Amino acid sequence: MRASFPFSAIVGQDEMKLALLIAAIDARIGGVMVFGDRGTGKSTAVRALAALLPPMPVVPGCRYGCAPGQAVCPTPETHRPGKASAPVPFVDLPLGATEDRVVGALDLEKALGHGEKAFEPGLLARANRGYLYIDEINLLEDHIVDLLLDVAASGENVVEREGLSVRHAARFVLVGSGNPEEGELRPQLLDRFGLSVEVRTPQDLKQRVEILKRCDAYERTPDSFAKEWVKAERKTLKRIAKGKELLAEVVVPDAVLTRASELCIAVGADGLRGELTLMRSARALAALEGDVQVTETHLKRVAPLALRHRLRRNVLDETGSTARIERAMETMFAA
């Protein structure tokens, strides 16, 4: 099996990598939306992070990736003795995927060949406890968007069709990418993403040359290239593991919560989901860096990620969302 491109070997795109690490620490943040140019390593970064994470324990023989002891599992653990593990899933959802392919449907082979009613799991089942990646998500069909909204909100996929009734867990880190110039993303779906990242084609000559060198080295000898980054990958994995372990102990002082709410009010963020995401992201960042208390520094670093896609458009202000957030923070934290 060909080695994946190492996450640590990705040049630049620090904001995107930080957002993915934060989402890996706390999946409740709600996924990552990546806006920007094509060919900037978006899918490579997500696939690399999924490959970096250690195998997850699963119910032996379960086609839904359920964790042992999970309450809702179409394959009861009692019927599948023993222990098993599986790689963290990375599922690429194509734009032309049908509803049956996404949520699952009747297994026609068993129905026609054996007269049995059996369920064939879809992409949501394959992505459970892993990553669901959608490229050009702004071009996704509306009815598929509606399905994703329902599942993202509940964490479960419920299928009622052809005499079948199936319910299974579908909790995943949703990562979408798109170019705003090719079409707007529905506000309902955009709001479901916890973090938003803007990526651009690198303009630094040395950086671009280094990217070319690493891509060429990986294409020529992927296994040898991956071995060169083993130490860096282990270091990143250790940071993630320690961050997950520390997360429950991280304290968010009332003063920081107050600052978070003040910032959301100042920039006019819709709803309270922005504040919740801002708090969770700051806590995950603190855990990632080994800190047991969230500070204003953590808050300022994650604020653009958590809020830039939640701002109302201001026809009198032509500056982008990021500039508005940074301007608000300069005013607030200078006081």
Side-chain angles (χ1 to χ4, degrees), residues 7-282:
F7 183 79
S8 306
I10 296 173
V11 179
Q13 308 300 5
D14 294 332
E15 189 179 67
M16 178 174 64
K17 290 189 289 186
L18 178 62
L20 291 173
L21 289 173
I22 289 174
I25 297 292
D26 188 356
R28 296 178 307 160
I29 287 171
V32 181
M33 179 65 209
V34 185
F35 290 110
D37 303 332
R38 299 188 191 91
T40 49
K42 298 184 289 291
S43 62
T44 299
V46 183
R47 195 185 300 272
L49 183 61
L52 171 65
L53 298 175
M56 58 184 191
V58 296
V59 173
C62 179
R63 296 189 296 169
Y64 304 89
C66 293
Q70 187 171 300
V72 180
C73 178
T75 310
E77 188 179 359
T78 53
H79 298 166
R80 302 284 186 175
K83 295 182 179 180
S85 61
V88 173
F90 173 88
V91 176
D92 198 337
L93 192 153
L95 290 178
T98 63
E99 183 175 333
D100 287 350
R101 183 75 182 97
V102 175
V103 302
L106 180 69
D107 189 330
L108 292 178
E109 184 178 347
K110 289 186 178 180
L112 297 176
H114 306 283
E116 300 177 14
K117 282 188 177 180
F119 181 70
E120 179 63 29
L123 295 177
L124 295 181
R126 285 178 50 198
N128 186 33
R129 301 171 64 203
Y131 292 82
L132 181 64
Y133 179 75
I134 309 172
D135 194 15
E136 306 294 349
I137 192 172
N138 46 327
L139 304 180
L140 197 65
E141 295 184 16
D142 285 347
H143 71 284
I144 301 297
V145 170
D146 293 334
L147 288 172
L148 290 174
L149 286 173
D150 291 339
V151 175
S154 65
E156 289 184 350
N157 181 34
V158 180
V159 182
E160 302 277 357
R161 59 175 62 182
E162 289 97 20
L164 292 172
S165 179
V166 178
R167 178 189 299 267
H168 68 83
R171 298 186 180 276
F172 43 79
V173 177
L174 182 62
V175 182
S177 67
N179 189 336
E181 296 177 358
E182 297 178 352
E184 294 291 335
L185 191 64
R186 284 178 58 180
Q188 298 93 327
L189 181 59
L190 185 58
D191 188 53
R192 290 294 176 182
F193 285 95
L195 305 176
S196 175
V197 176
E198 295 176 349
V199 296
R200 293 290 179 264
T201 303
Q203 298 303 310
D204 181 75
L205 181 59
K206 291 183 179 180
Q207 194 175 70
R208 292 175 76 127
V209 171
E210 183 61 27
I211 291 172
L212 292 176
K213 287 182 177 179
R214 294 186 187 184
C215 288
D216 182 59
Y218 174 71
E219 290 172 0
R220 287 172 178 272
T221 54
D223 293 334
S224 298
F225 182 78
K227 287 180 181 178
E228 295 177 9
W229 292 89
V230 167
K231 287 186 178 180
E233 291 287 81
R234 287 177 180 169
K235 185 177 179 180
T236 302
L237 184 58
K238 186 179 292 186
R239 287 183 69 202
I240 295 173
K242 287 185 176 181
K244 285 185 174 182
E245 186 177 342
L246 184 62
L247 184 64
E249 301 175 19
V250 177
V251 178
V252 186
D254 288 347
V256 175
L257 290 177
T258 300
R259 283 294 200 184
S261 293
E262 288 175 348
L263 179 58
C264 290
I265 293 172
V267 298
D270 288 328
L272 294 175
R273 188 172 283 122
E275 286 168 67
L276 288 170
T277 304
L278 188 54
M279 176 191 69
R280 289 170 179 165
S281 302

